[in-house]
Amino acid sequence: MQDPSAHPFPATKRETLPGTAHTAPGSGLLFLREDELRLAQDMLFFAHRDLTEAPDAILGELGYGRAHHRCLHWIARRPGLTVGDLLAILGITKQSLTRVLGPLIREGYVAQVPGAQDRRQRLLTLTEKGATLERRLFEAQRERLVAAYREAGGPAVEGFKRVLRGLMQQQGRDYLDGQDAHRGKGQRSGA
């Protein structure tokens, strides 16, 4: 078990240190004070910084950044994604997407083909080169996620997911609900 005195952020009465018993999600959080909300912001900042550190280094070697990573991630998650859907997910302008997607297409990471029903649609998929890069970026974050989930334990992970969902706007929630429904259908049909 870790030495609590060595922990960089001492536990408050409403949180637990790694390796200690977890209480039920939300217990004791009836009154959220500003300092607790600011601590949450601090933690989100550090978590995001540390989670993106390894992929940022990989992308930097290629002259890419986080926007490229986001495109690769979503195209990998939804092969055949339309440009319009990618715009909606990322919440950026067409001009911004063109600056990011253009190099990925030109350098052979992403392929685009016209839609079967609507030839004006551009459907996006990763090429083999793109899938290899996206997998490398995912693997750079995977172990950090696995370690954090294992340390927190199942109930804390479920609570964390509820907090993340609560931070999302409705569009993100709707997307995840659609993915859950799609996965459920695949499981029932034996896929």
Side-chain angles (χ1 to χ4, degrees):
M1 186 156 123
Q2 288 183 333
D3 175 10
S5 64
H7 197 268
F9 301 104
T12 65
K13 64 182 177 181
R14 295 195 175 141
E15 68 177 298
T16 58
L17 290 172
T20 61
H22 295 280
T23 58
S27 66
L29 296 179
L30 298 176
F31 302 100
L32 295 172
R33 299 185 322 252
E34 183 172 335
D35 62 325
E36 292 170 324
L37 296 174
R38 287 193 177 272
L39 175 61
Q41 282 184 312
D42 295 347
M43 294 172 79
L44 284 168
F45 170 82
F46 285 122
H48 183 260
R49 180 199 68 186
D50 296 347
L51 186 63
T52 57
E53 179 180 29
D56 284 353
I58 294 166
L59 291 161
E61 293 170 5
L62 300 170
Y64 292 148
R66 289 182 187 167
H68 299 93
H69 187 185
R70 288 188 288 270
C71 283
L72 292 168
H73 169 84
W74 287 111
I75 296 168
R77 295 289 288 158
R78 291 186 53 196
L81 180 71
T82 67
V83 170
D85 286 343
L86 183 58
L87 281 168
I89 289 170
L90 297 176
I92 60 176
T93 66
K94 284 183 186 180
Q95 184 178 11
S96 294
L97 182 60
T98 299
R99 282 193 301 266
V100 174
L101 195 54
L104 291 172
I105 293 169
R106 282 191 303 277
E107 295 177 27
Y109 293 98
V110 174
Q112 64 178 351
V113 297
Q117 284 83 26
D118 184 349
R119 306 287 294 163
R120 294 171 297 176
Q121 279 186 328
R122 290 180 295 156
L123 307 179
L124 304 170
T125 57
L126 295 182
T127 63
E128 187 175 328
K129 181 179 177 181
T132 299
L133 175 58
E134 190 280 332
R135 187 69 191 174
R136 186 174 168 210
L137 297 170
F138 172 72
E139 291 296 331
Q141 293 179 315
R142 182 182 182 281
E143 290 309 311
R144 184 174 291 275
L145 289 166
V146 167
Y149 274 24
R150 283 187 178 145
E151 181 180 308
V157 169
E158 288 306 311
F160 173 67
K161 289 178 183 178
R162 285 196 298 273
V163 169
L164 288 177
R165 186 177 174 88
L167 291 172
M168 291 177 203
Q169 293 182 12
Q170 191 60 45
Q171 184 239 7
R173 293 176 187 192
D174 291 344
Y175 171 83
L176 293 175
D177 292 345
Q179 291 302 301
D180 286 344
H182 179 71
R183 275 192 296 274
K185 287 179 187 173
Q187 290 169 350
R188 284 191 292 275
S189 66

